[in-house]
Amino acid sequence: MMAKRAEQPGDPVKLIGLLWKPTETVSRSGLTLRRITDAAIAVADQEGLDALTLRRVAGDLGVSAMALYPYIAGRSELIEVMLDAVAAEVYASPPAGPWRARVERIAQANWDHHMAHPWTVDVAPGRPVPGPGVSGKYEAELAALDGLGLSDLEMDRALTAILGLVSSAARGTLSLRRIREESSLTDVQWWESVGPSLGAAMAGDSYPVAQRVSASLGEATGLATDPEGAFRLGLELLLDGLSRLVDARD
């Protein structure tokens, strides 16, 4: 189930203060906003956003849910703070090297980020308030595209296209991973179980290209669908197109 950040947003003004000027007060139980955030991230990393509640986080910290309210107003604000905290971890140092290598590092770093924090692909897009983590990440990524002759709009749109490609493929990969874990079947085993019934249902219909391509994918990867492979190819095609645009500006 997708988190409904866009449906129940927190107060953006309060959220700005929470992200940029968090309280440094330490309670008698040792609570800080960072401790609360880290505990929430641990829950989401291990069990997904559906398991994330203030009560659950408070229980893991050994306090009552009421003890969290001086630090965080509700679940939606907590998710925003979590997103900002993990965004700050994406780059240990700014992407370096030739521009294509920099962009490849952006894509790979975001892929690794989603794999480490699967819940990040489940947060519904909305109108987020950027905190220092998200802002620093955006700055590092734009800096990797700066100086190539692209306009500011082209830089932002190219970055959005790259990140969208990554997040879409990561979402598909993680969803399939969950399905495989829940079913305890590989894609090959699943196809073997449904193949006879599907073949009977499709009898008399002909899809020669689809059947050939599906068989080739299965033989090459052992997968019914391959979002990560699509991501890798899509990135190469995107970079080839971006390269032509950059070369035209020289």
Side-chain angles (χ1 to χ4, degrees):
M1 183 181 295
M2 188 171 282
K4 297 181 180 180
R5 179 180 62 172
E7 295 179 16
Q8 297 180 335
D11 183 328
V13 175
K14 290 182 179 178
L15 188 56
I16 289 171
L18 196 62
L19 290 166
W20 291 95
K21 296 181 179 180
T23 177
E24 297 181 0
T25 302
V26 181
S27 71
R28 285 181 294 178
S29 57
L31 281 184
T32 62
L33 180 59
R34 185 68 219 195
R35 278 197 67 203
I36 294 168
T37 304
D38 289 344
I41 291 169
V43 171
D45 283 351
Q46 295 168 15
E47 302 177 42
L49 283 179
D50 284 349
L52 182 68
T53 64
L54 292 188
R55 185 181 299 276
R56 169 61 189 279
V57 173
D60 287 353
L61 291 169
V63 299
S64 69
M66 290 295 294
L68 304 188
Y69 289 119
Y71 298 90
I72 197 83
R75 185 176 184 272
S76 60
E77 289 86 356
L78 180 57
I79 291 173
E80 295 285 0
V81 176
M82 292 162 60
L83 286 169
D84 197 69
V86 296
E89 302 169 357
V90 176
Y91 303 106
S93 58
W99 76 262
R100 187 158 180 145
R102 297 198 301 268
V103 176
E104 288 173 343
R105 185 180 170 202
I106 288 172
Q108 187 62 50
N110 278 275
W111 177 269
D112 294 342
H113 171 63
H114 292 314
M115 294 301 108
H117 304 290
W119 55 273
T120 57
V121 302
D122 292 330
V123 178
R127 190 179 290 167
V129 175
V134 169
S135 297
K137 178 177 179 291
Y138 185 51
E139 174 70 18
E141 291 166 343
L142 287 177
L145 292 167
D146 200 18
L148 304 183
L150 303 177
S151 70
D152 289 349
L153 285 178
E154 287 169 338
M155 288 169 58
D156 179 78
R157 289 167 179 170
L159 177 60
T160 300
I162 294 163
L163 299 185
L165 177 65
V166 176
S167 64
S168 176
R171 185 178 301 108
T173 297
L174 291 164
S175 177
L176 289 169
R177 181 181 296 175
R178 295 183 192 115
I179 291 171
R180 290 167 187 143
E181 290 173 351
E182 292 170 359
S183 69
S184 300
L185 295 175
T186 66
D187 284 10
V188 171
Q189 292 169 331
W190 183 82
W191 273 116
E192 289 174 346
S193 70
V194 303
S197 297
L198 183 60
M202 295 175 65
D205 295 317
S206 178
Y207 306 97
V209 178
Q211 290 174 343
R212 187 191 77 230
V213 171
S214 295
S216 296
L217 176 64
E219 291 171 2
T221 66
L223 303 173
T225 184
D226 184 19
E228 182 175 359
F231 154 56
R232 303 295 175 188
L233 176 59
L235 180 61
E236 287 300 311
L237 296 175
L238 192 155
L239 289 176
D240 287 346
L242 190 57
S243 180
R244 288 192 291 273
L245 182 60
V246 170
D247 289 345
R249 302 294 167 83
D250 289 343

